């Protein structure tokens, strides 16, 4: 078994290297994902009307308990 694996590894090492999908498009996919991430979070943080104050004191009022 080990000899077959070794033989396969040697055969692949001598084969001419062909760029795969990640070699061709990896950086493009990464940049596209980063752009989508930035756009979505930019929208979320600016358009959804959140008030950015870290202290909840005075904002949270308890609702009446419903039975």
């Amino acid at each position: 078994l080990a000899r077959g694996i070794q033989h396969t590894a040697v055969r692949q090492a001598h084969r001419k290297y062909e760029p795969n999908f990640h070699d061709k498009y990896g950086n493009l996919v990464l940049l596209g994902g980063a752009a989508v991430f930035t756009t979505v979070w930019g929208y979320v943080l600016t358009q959804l009307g959140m008030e950015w104050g870290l202290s909840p004191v005075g904002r949270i009022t308890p609702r009446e308990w419903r039975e």
Side-chain angles (χ1 to χ4, degrees):
L1 180 69
R3 181 169 293 180
I5 293 172
Q6 196 175 20
H7 193 73
T8 304
V10 167
R11 208 176 332 138
Q12 287 179 350
H14 286 293
R15 190 178 61 179
K16 190 171 139 249
Y17 181 72
E18 303 156 2
N20 62 14
F21 179 85
H22 295 287
D23 294 327
K24 287 182 181 176
Y25 305 111
N27 288 335
L28 197 64
V29 170
L30 188 68
L31 289 174
V36 170
F37 178 87
T38 305
T39 304
V40 169
W41 276 107
Y43 174 80
V44 167
L45 295 178
T46 57
Q47 299 298 316
L48 291 186
M50 295 181 187
E51 292 182 8
W52 292 102
L54 296 179
S55 173
V57 175
R59 292 200 194 152
I60 298 174
T61 56
R63 281 189 298 187
E64 290 296 321
W65 180 257
R66 289 177 298 189
E67 301 224 2

